[in-house]
């Protein structure tokens, strides 16, 4: 548990900022703005409050499983067949999730910077790069993440403060302009990102110390800030109506960055932010898949059993019309992601609770037997 290759709690927080932060910073914004419009930032705040008690469920599972690898803990509790079904289901869902991240990134690149470059070439290059990261180790992933995250955070604050000159915070009012219903409908989108905190239970055996409730709370608050920043920025810079029409609101904010009269067109810095974020997110989640399937360190098997299937999953998504892809992502995938991770947490909680209860009964039976033996003697 605390051997070579383990990572610290701080590394976990940094991974959350990059892996989940990319989704909350970029992916959920278009559908959230489309549904909740001016009040979309209120959806984020309400979701944070609602999701907070769920963190204690993660802590309960983490404690009851004793930081064991899921692939070892589940067979002991629900049997080999049941655990195999659960583990492979998780692995497939995770690959689908990162496939959508990959294709969304490639569509953005193709639309904004490389319109004449075939998407298939971009996909092949990026899949190879991400799989190369997966074949290293978790420590390598977190070290790379620390280096790239520093620049990502600096650029994020840079665009936020530079655009203060064009922000109009009066555009945030009136609150609840269209009533409570749009705000409530928008809750599922930030919840889809926040629910990915359960990913760290899948690598809990790689973490040196136990995760406490306040560790999860810190990550939740950081993710809330990463969601609120570009969301409020888009509303105050473009207005709720225009922001809701944009496909990539976080990127469009870079188009307004100017320093004085002669320095502008700094949106190329967003390329670094988005590409590195996707690189770490895809690499880390695919690493979790290799860990669940017991392939860590086995490079030939990773290339054979992971790289090709992942490419095949990405291929049909890449061939979809961009409008259909955005609708599929906004209307189905984000909602399905939240439902899946929430149900997974409930399932793991039930397994942890039932096995803990059985263990307690077995312990009491043993104690009663020992007392009887002592009395007979």
């Amino acid at each position: 548990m605390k051997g070579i290759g383990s990572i610290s709690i701080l590394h976990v927080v940094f991974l959350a900022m990059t892996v989940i932060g990319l989704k909350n910073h970029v992916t959920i914004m278009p559908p959230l703005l489309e549904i909740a419009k001016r009040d979309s930032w209120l959806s984020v705040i309400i979701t944070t409050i609602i999701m907070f008690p769920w963190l204690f469920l993660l802590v309960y599972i983490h404690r009851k499983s004793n930081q064991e690898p899921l692939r070892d803990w589940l067979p002991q509790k629900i049997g080999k067949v049941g655990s195999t079904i659960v583990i492979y289901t998780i692995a497939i869902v995770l690959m689908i999730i990162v496939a959508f991240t990959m294709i969304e990134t490639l569509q953005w690149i193709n639309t904004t910077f490389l319109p004449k470059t075939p998407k298939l070439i971009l996909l092949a290059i990026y899949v190879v790069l991400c799989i190369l990261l997966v074949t290293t180790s978790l420590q390598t992933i977190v070290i790379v993440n620390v280096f790239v995250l520093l620049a990502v955070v600096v650029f994020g604050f840079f665009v936020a403060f530079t655009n203060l000159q064009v922000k109009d915070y009066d555009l945030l009012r009136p609150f609840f302009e269209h009533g409570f219903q749009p705000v409530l409908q928008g809750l599922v989108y930030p919840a889809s990102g926040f629910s990915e905190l359960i990913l760290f239970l899948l690598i809990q055996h790689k973490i040196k110390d136990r995760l406490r409730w306040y560790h999860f709370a810190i990550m939740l608050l950081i993710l809330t800030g990463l969601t609120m920043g570009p969301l409020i920025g888009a509303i105050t810079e473009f207005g709720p109506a225009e922001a809701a029409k944009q496909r990539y609101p976080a990127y469009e904010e870079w188009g307004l960055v100017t320093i004085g009269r002669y320095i502008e067109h700094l949106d190329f810095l967003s390329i670094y932010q988005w590409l590195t974020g996707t690189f770490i997110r895809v690499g880390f989640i695919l690493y979790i898949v290799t860990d669940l399937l017991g392939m860590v360190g086995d490079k030939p098997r990773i290339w054979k059993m992971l790289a090709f299937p992942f490419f095949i999953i990405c291929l049909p998504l890449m061939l979809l019309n961009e409008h259909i892809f955005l609708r599929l992502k906004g209307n189905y995938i984000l909602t399905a992601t939240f439902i899946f991770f929430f149900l997974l947490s409930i399932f793991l909680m039930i397994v942890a609770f039932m096995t803990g209860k059985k263990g307690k009964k077995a312990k009491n039976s043993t104690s009663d037997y020992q007392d009887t033996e002592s009395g007979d003697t």
Side-chain angles (χ1 to χ4, degrees):
M1 197 181 302
K2 296 183 180 181
I4 297 174
S6 298
I7 62 175
S8 68
I9 299 294
L10 186 60
H11 285 140
V12 172
V13 175
F14 287 159
L15 280 172
M17 291 174 65
T18 307
V19 175
I20 309 176
L22 175 72
K23 181 176 181 177
N24 282 32
H25 201 79
V26 173
T27 304
I28 72 168
M29 282 186 61
L32 179 55
L33 283 165
E34 184 179 355
I35 294 294
K37 296 182 174 61
R38 193 190 306 271
D39 294 320
S40 55
W41 61 280
L42 291 170
S43 295
V44 178
I45 294 176
I46 295 172
T47 304
T48 302
I49 296 170
I50 293 174
M51 292 290 289
F52 183 77
W54 177 74
L55 302 180
F56 291 93
L57 183 61
L58 300 184
V59 174
Y60 177 80
I61 298 167
H62 181 62
R63 180 168 58 85
K64 286 293 185 179
S65 60
N66 199 31
Q67 278 190 268
E68 291 184 51
L70 198 67
R71 66 177 185 274
D72 296 335
W73 180 65
L74 278 180
Q76 300 170 15
K77 309 304 179 183
I78 62 173
K80 188 174 181 180
V81 175
S83 64
T84 300
I85 294 172
V86 172
I87 287 172
Y88 273 90
T89 300
I90 295 172
I92 292 170
V93 170
L94 292 182
M95 290 178 69
I96 293 172
I97 288 172
V98 291
F100 270 86
T101 299
M102 175 76 78
I103 300 306
E104 182 179 34
T105 301
L106 296 183
Q107 285 185 349
W108 169 70
I109 293 172
N110 198 249
T111 301
T112 55
F113 295 104
L114 300 175
K116 295 186 179 180
T117 304
K119 291 181 183 178
L120 188 62
I121 294 177
L122 295 175
L123 177 62
I125 293 173
Y126 222 68
V127 167
V128 169
L129 289 175
C130 290
I131 297 298
L132 285 173
L133 182 64
V134 174
T135 57
T136 56
S137 66
L138 184 58
Q139 279 194 325
T140 302
I141 294 173
V142 297
I143 290 171
V144 173
N145 179 57
V146 168
F147 280 106
V148 301
L149 181 61
L150 176 62
V152 168
V153 171
V154 170
F155 292 155
F157 279 109
F158 170 72
V159 66
F161 286 113
T162 305
N163 281 349
L164 284 174
Q165 57 189 329
V166 296
K167 291 180 180 180
D168 180 6
Y169 286 95
D170 288 336
L171 292 172
L172 295 175
R173 297 194 301 265
F175 304 145
F176 299 105
E177 180 182 17
H178 301 287
F180 287 94
Q181 186 176 356
V183 176
L184 296 177
Q185 289 177 337
L187 297 182
V188 69
Y189 299 114
S192 177
F194 296 154
S195 64
E196 290 191 1
L197 286 171
I198 198 175
L199 292 176
F200 296 108
L201 294 186
L202 305 182
I203 59 157
Q204 60 182 0
H205 54 289
K206 298 283 188 178
I207 302 172
K208 293 179 182 178
D209 303 305
R210 283 191 183 277
L211 288 166
R212 310 293 181 181
W213 69 268
Y214 51 85
H215 296 141
F216 283 111
I218 289 170
M219 288 187 279
L220 180 63
L221 291 175
I222 291 174
L223 292 174
T224 300
L226 288 172
T227 312
M228 294 278 284
L231 200 55
I232 292 177
I235 296 170
T236 56
E237 291 167 23
F238 303 108
E242 179 61 29
K245 296 176 184 178
Q246 294 173 348
R247 288 170 53 191
Y248 311 112
Y251 165 70
E252 299 297 341
E253 292 176 35
W254 275 96
L256 301 178
V257 174
T258 58
I259 303 176
R261 295 177 57 189
Y262 304 107
I263 301 177
E264 55 184 14
H265 300 301
L266 298 176
D267 50 353
F268 67 91
L269 295 175
S270 65
I271 302 174
Y272 175 86
Q273 282 188 307
W274 202 327
L275 292 187
T276 54
T278 300
F279 179 59
I280 298 297
R281 175 175 170 81
V282 173
F284 173 69
I285 295 180
L286 289 182
Y287 176 87
I288 293 177
V289 173
T290 63
D291 188 76
L292 286 172
L293 302 181
M295 296 190 297
V296 173
D298 191 345
K299 295 182 181 180
R301 193 178 171 202
I302 291 173
W303 282 103
K304 181 180 178 182
M305 302 297 292
L306 185 67
F308 183 70
F310 179 63
F311 184 84
I312 294 301
I313 291 174
C314 290
L315 200 55
L317 294 177
M318 186 184 67
L319 299 176
L320 287 177
N321 176 275
E322 291 187 21
H323 179 73
I324 296 175
F325 176 84
L326 290 172
R327 286 295 172 187
L328 180 63
K329 180 197 72 174
N331 295 345
Y332 300 102
I333 293 300
L334 292 177
T335 303
T337 299
F338 166 68
I339 293 172
F340 175 78
F341 284 133
F342 181 75
L343 292 179
L344 177 62
S345 66
I346 297 297
F347 170 76
L348 294 177
M349 183 271 292
I350 293 172
V351 172
F353 177 76
M354 296 303 293
T355 54
K357 197 172 180 180
K358 288 179 182 178
K360 188 175 181 181
K361 285 182 178 179
K363 186 177 179 181
N364 290 337
S365 299
T366 304
S367 177
D368 292 341
Y369 176 77
Q370 290 174 346
D371 291 342
T372 304
E373 286 265 322
S374 177
D376 292 342
T377 304

